[in-house]
Amino acid sequence: MAVGAAAGTANTAPASGAAHAAPAGTANALPQVDQSLLAKVVVIGVPGLRWSDVKASPELTALVNQSNVGSITVKTAGPHTCPVDGWLTISAGTRAWGSVPDQPCGELPGLVDGKVQGWQTYVNRQAEHHTGAPLGRLAETNSKICGFGQGAAVALAHTDGTVANWQPTFDSSKLAACPDAIVDGGVMPLSEGRDEARKKVAELVAQARAADGWVLLVGIAQETADAHQEPLVAMQLPPDNGPRWLTSDSTRRPGLIQLTDVTATILRGQAKEIDPAGSEEPGPLDGNEITSTGDVHTDAAAVIEDRLDTNQRFEQPRPMLVAVVTTLVVAQLAALGWFLITRSRRARSTSVFTMLAQGGFFIAVFLSTATSWWRWPSPGFSLYCVVLAISAGFAGLAQRLLKKHAYLGILAAAYVILLVDGVLGTPLQFGSMFTDGPVIGGRFYGFGNSTFATLAVAALVMAGFAAQKVLDRSRVEAAAAVLVVGGLAIVVDGKPGWGTDFGGIIALTPAVLLLAWFTWRGNISWKALVGIGLAGFVAVSAVAYLDYLRPEDERSHFGTFVARLLDGDVNDVLIRKLQMSLGFFHTPAGWAMLVAVVLSMLATVRPDKVPSESYRRFYVGKPMVRPTLLALATCGLVGMLLNDAGVALPAIMAGFAVPLLVAHLLAAGADDRPATVLPESHLVQES
């Protein structure tokens, strides 16, 4: 639930000496090289350069043990990354939008009279899509940098589109006189001629190394608009202190950098302020300088296989998420239909199990990461089986041990697992089904929207359960229990370096305070409701401001957002977030989610309208049920209104909570006693 751009200290792990150890671990490791001290940076950009190309090329394979290596995510501002998108992003130092949606990648623009053709069109496109990308920032900051090739001309164009210190083809004799340089290595052919293209890339690296300095070979875009999406190749030569893993503070993951890190590295982290199109104030560089971390690797074949395995880790979760959810929903509908037709004990138990398995899925998406499924045969199918097995395992264990309260066991497990994972630096998040991941350039560390939704449901229900246990003894103690259980979730979710989730604590804090107040007083006045909102705002603002006071390179989302706010540079960010949240309504699925969310929220305030006797009885069965449901609705509503996930956030919360509630109601059995529902006026009293 990021609201601002990420920047902070590296949170990385050393790879093992065997090189097969996944470098995406979580233990802290200090960068091995300060690249800003190097005299020259030569970037060779090759759209579509994959790790499978390195494996297929003896020349490129030979470079592995001579390089710090990693993968680079090339997500830009648009829906796909064509070569022009990649080169414009390097020009701006932040994600830019160059290509036209729903059209094939076009040819790179040429130069006429020393100016990039159609440059103003690209500038206008940034304003149209509110990217905030200041095209030309690289050249305006580093005016002496040299360029070779058509793509380099786009990357090195000034704000008016003019290009200096540029050659149409690579000339190694002129490279030695350049302080820094960018070389367009050409787009990798889709099939025929790919072998020759690989040899050409290796030759470019050899010639660039002869000019001394630091050579960075990176894929900067996909070959075509519909190309297979995956992280591309990143190599850095020479590898001071031995070949290790590339990283940066923008990803905080060993073996992974992003495209905007390339610009930050060329500029040594210092950029001239350039007004982007459509914005009054300049924004900061989105990337951070590239460094290296971890142990030395000495087995090129093992490193290449590790990178290919990592690609599987990033690519498979998204399609398998659809497959797993479809399987669970079909199983639930089939079991529920069986029960409604037969009303048999076995059918009831089976239906309860499938509902609990849906809840177990919200745990399995994280625990599956611990199995290293991406190294198994048929990684996609392995992930599918692992997630379903863990989901079913949790459901069966909870159903057997806790009977009708099995839902509490699953919620407690989710609460504990996510708190521990957050404190450890979210090793279970990275590459899971609930993390956007490098393929689409989403969150690289901390809690994302789906993770937050899971934690919020677990935390609020467990807080309500803890309060119920001590409520008869003391309302003050019960309210304190809510603050402890909910407060732990807020701290882990929001603390920089842990959950680092600015938007999450904005939604969770008022929900926890509301639940604590209801627990303490039994009702709430309008004055108290306003006070809770203000208290939540002050708490979140204080955390953000304290983070802002830290050095700029150590700030997280919180401090970066405050900096942009103080600089007047949040308009484009907020507009992009709003566009993302409204984007869900471009499809029928988005409207369906909205209807489901509204019905779920109405059920928390008007239980008398719910056509379920067992639900109405449950609602009034214990004092903490109503406050807990209202807190869940509050969290979902605030999150929907203030977060870029929009309606998807409360929809995910409902996807976790509702099946568990149905499982509990089914397990509790039918009861024909009439239910007594509190009148609506009891929810909020007049002051």
Side-chain angles (χ1 to χ4, degrees):
M1 295 180 61
V3 177
T9 55
N11 181 17
T12 54
S16 75
H20 268 105
T26 58
N28 289 328
L30 294 176
Q32 303 293 331
V33 183
D34 182 0
Q35 306 297 353
S36 64
L37 299 179
L38 294 173
K40 177 183 294 190
V41 176
V42 179
V43 175
I44 302 176
V46 185
L49 183 61
R50 308 172 185 172
W51 275 102
S52 56
D53 291 311
V54 178
K55 183 176 182 178
S57 168
E59 295 84 2
L60 293 177
T61 298
L63 297 177
V64 173
N65 285 341
Q66 306 171 37
S67 311
N68 293 321
V69 300
S71 300
I72 183 170
T73 171
V74 296
K75 179 67 175 70
T76 52
H80 46 243
T81 302
C82 291
V84 68
D85 297 87
W87 292 117
L88 287 172
T89 293
I90 291 178
S91 169
T94 187
R95 292 177 180 178
W97 192 317
S99 55
V100 179
D102 302 324
Q103 291 188 15
C105 293
E107 296 291 331
L108 289 173
L111 265 67
V112 176
D113 297 328
K115 184 175 182 178
V116 175
Q117 286 182 301
W119 181 256
Q120 190 59 42
T121 300
Y122 297 119
V123 174
N124 294 341
R125 197 161 288 160
Q126 311 316 306
E128 176 187 354
H129 296 289
H130 302 282
T131 68
L135 300 186
R137 174 156 55 183
L138 176 58
E140 295 291 344
T141 305
N142 187 344
S143 60
K144 296 183 179 180
I145 188 172
C146 301
F148 301 89
Q150 203 165 348
V154 176
L156 297 184
H158 289 262
T159 54
D160 61 357
T162 59
V163 180
N165 305 324
W166 176 81
Q167 299 291 323
T169 58
F170 181 70
D171 187 341
S172 58
S173 64
K174 295 186 177 181
L175 180 62
C178 298
D180 297 301
I182 291 182
V183 180
D184 181 357
V187 178
M188 294 297 293
L190 293 179
S191 55
E192 185 178 353
R194 203 168 181 104
D195 287 340
E196 290 301 317
R198 295 169 184 143
K199 292 180 181 179
K200 176 187 174 183
V201 170
E203 291 172 0
L204 282 175
V205 172
Q207 294 178 64
R209 292 182 69 182
D212 294 327
W214 185 65
V215 179
L216 178 62
L217 171 64
V218 289
I220 57 99
Q222 306 295 339
E223 306 100 309
T224 62
D226 58 351
H228 180 59
Q229 300 290 308
E230 64 182 86
L232 301 177
V233 170
M235 293 189 193
Q236 173 251 307
L237 306 89
D240 295 357
N241 301 316
R244 303 173 190 272
W245 298 102
L246 293 176
T247 187
S248 78
D249 283 351
S250 67
T251 67
R252 304 188 187 185
R253 301 289 181 180
L256 182 66
I257 60 175
Q258 60 175 331
L259 188 57
T260 51
D261 294 333
V262 173
T263 308
T265 301
I266 297 172
L267 298 180
R268 282 70 171 177
Q270 301 296 320
K272 187 176 180 180
E273 292 188 349
I274 304 296
D275 291 339
S279 176
E280 296 180 356
E281 298 292 338
L285 290 169
D286 276 354
N288 293 91
E289 293 180 76
I290 299 168
T291 58
S292 61
T293 189
D295 294 337
V296 173
H297 59 76
T298 57
D299 186 340
V303 170
I304 294 170
E305 288 305 314
D306 176 86
R307 293 295 86 197
L308 293 173
D309 286 344
T310 300
N311 281 353
Q312 293 288 343
R313 179 180 184 178
F314 297 151
E315 294 165 27
Q316 295 297 338
R318 182 60 61 107
M320 286 302 106
L321 171 64
V322 177
V324 170
V325 170
T326 301
T327 300
L328 291 171
V329 171
V330 169
Q332 290 174 63
L333 293 177
L336 186 60
W338 180 26
F339 169 68
L340 293 176
I341 293 172
T342 66
R343 298 287 177 172
S344 68
R345 183 175 181 179
R346 178 174 293 182
R348 180 191 296 271
S349 178
T350 301
S351 187
V352 169
F353 172 80
T354 59
M355 297 292 176
L356 293 174
Q358 172 74 18
F361 162 74
F362 284 77
I363 302 172
V365 292
F366 305 114
L367 291 185
S368 61
T369 306
T371 67
S372 298
W373 54 265
W374 53 91
R375 294 199 177 99
W376 296 11
S378 302
F381 183 68
S382 296
L383 174 61
Y384 174 83
C385 294
V386 165
V387 172
L388 286 179
I390 296 175
S391 303
F394 267 96
L397 186 63
Q399 189 176 24
R400 183 176 183 83
L401 297 179
L402 300 175
K403 310 301 181 185
K404 66 179 181 180
H405 296 297
Y407 74 102
L408 288 173
I410 289 178
L411 288 164
Y415 178 76
V416 172
I417 288 171
L418 288 180
L419 289 189
V420 172
D421 189 48
V423 171
L424 295 179
T426 65
L428 298 180
Q429 313 283 318
F430 193 56
S432 75
M433 289 180 173
F434 277 4
T435 304
D436 291 337
V439 174
I440 65 170
R443 177 180 283 269
F444 298 108
Y445 57 89
F447 289 166
N449 295 317
S450 300
T451 304
F452 166 75
T454 304
L455 178 62
V457 171
L460 291 172
V461 175
M462 294 312 300
F465 174 74
Q468 183 66 56
K469 286 297 184 181
V470 297
L471 188 64
D472 291 339
R473 185 168 68 239
S474 167
R475 280 193 172 273
V476 173
E477 290 183 17
V482 170
L483 293 176
V484 169
V485 176
L488 280 175
I490 291 172
V491 170
V492 174
D493 179 57
K495 185 181 183 302
W498 291 1
T500 322
D501 185 12
F502 189 14
I505 65 172
I506 292 176
L508 186 57
T509 300
V512 170
L513 293 177
L514 178 68
L515 181 56
W517 185 281
F518 259 119
T519 305
W520 176 38
R521 301 301 297 269
N523 52 57
I524 189 169
S525 67
W526 287 110
K527 286 184 179 180
L529 194 61
V530 173
I532 287 173
L534 290 175
F537 174 78
V538 170
V540 172
S541 299
V543 171
Y545 185 70
L546 290 174
D547 189 50
Y548 165 73
L549 295 178
R550 300 198 304 171
E552 184 175 353
D553 61 347
E554 297 180 11
R555 294 172 187 162
S556 68
H557 301 314
F558 303 85
T560 303
F561 181 77
V562 172
R564 290 193 174 205
L565 184 65
L566 295 177
D567 291 339
D569 180 42
V570 294
N571 290 341
D572 283 338
V573 174
L574 296 179
I575 290 173
R576 289 201 304 273
K577 300 294 183 183
L578 179 61
Q579 288 176 333
M580 291 174 63
S581 65
L582 295 177
F584 288 98
F585 300 115
H586 293 165
T587 63
W591 289 102
M593 283 194 294
L594 180 62
V595 171
V597 165
V598 170
L599 292 176
S600 298
M601 290 183 177
L602 287 176
T604 67
V605 296
R606 294 302 303 271
D608 56 307
K609 300 298 184 182
V610 178
S612 170
E613 180 70 17
S614 57
Y615 173 76
R616 295 194 294 270
R617 189 163 48 249
F618 167 75
Y619 191 91
V620 297
K622 292 185 181 297
M624 288 306 303
V625 171
R626 180 172 66 110
T628 301
L629 291 175
L630 290 174
L632 286 168
T634 299
C635 183
L637 181 62
V638 174
M640 180 175 67
L641 295 177
L642 299 181
N643 184 253
D644 57 8
V647 70
L649 179 64
I652 296 169
M653 293 178 64
F656 186 26
V658 172
L660 293 179
L661 174 57
V662 174
H664 173 66
L665 298 178
L666 284 174
D671 191 337
D672 295 327
R673 291 174 299 173
T676 303
V677 176
L678 293 175
E680 184 180 3
S681 60
H682 284 199
L683 298 179
V684 180
Q685 292 187 345
E686 294 295 336
S687 58

